[in-house]
């Protein structure tokens, strides 16, 4: 379950990238390339933001769990 989280270097990071491409990038191959490049950049920005936020939250949960485990021991 943890592996599918869209966090840094987990499989969810790559699954999220493919999901965003499916949703946000144009399906028409005849569109102007500059618009496709702009869409690709915005997709990458969204992907990077989600991965960073998720990685930070997962990091806090892991560190918090370790600290709580040490204090309650």
């Amino acid at each position: 379950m943890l592996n599918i989280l869209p966090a840094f270097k987990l499989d969810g990071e790559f699954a999220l990238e493919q999901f965003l491409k499916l949703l946000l990038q144009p399906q028409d191959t005849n569109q102007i390339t500059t618009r496709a490049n702009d869409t690709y950049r915005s997709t990458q920005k969204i992907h990077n933001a989600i991965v960073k936020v998720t990685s930070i939250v997962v990091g806090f949960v892991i560190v918090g769990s370790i600290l709580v485990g040490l204090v309650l021991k």
Side-chain angles (χ1 to χ4, degrees), residues 2-73:
L2 178 68
N3 199 29
I4 198 64
L5 283 174
F8 185 67
K9 294 295 184 187
L10 295 178
D11 288 340
E13 178 183 6
F14 306 108
L16 174 66
E17 182 179 3
Q18 295 304 316
F19 183 70
L20 288 175
K21 282 181 183 178
L22 180 68
L23 284 180
L24 300 176
Q25 288 188 346
Q27 301 300 319
D28 186 13
T29 57
N30 296 326
Q31 287 186 347
I32 303 171
T33 56
T34 55
R35 182 170 180 211
N37 286 338
D38 290 342
T39 305
Y40 176 76
R41 282 189 211 112
S42 65
T43 302
Q44 285 300 107
K45 286 181 183 179
I46 293 169
H47 171 264
N48 291 339
I50 292 172
V51 168
K52 284 179 185 178
V53 168
T54 306
S55 297
I56 290 169
V57 169
V58 169
F60 278 127
V61 168
I62 291 172
V63 170
S65 296
I66 292 170
L67 292 176
V68 167
L70 291 174
V71 169
L72 295 178
K73 185 176 177 183

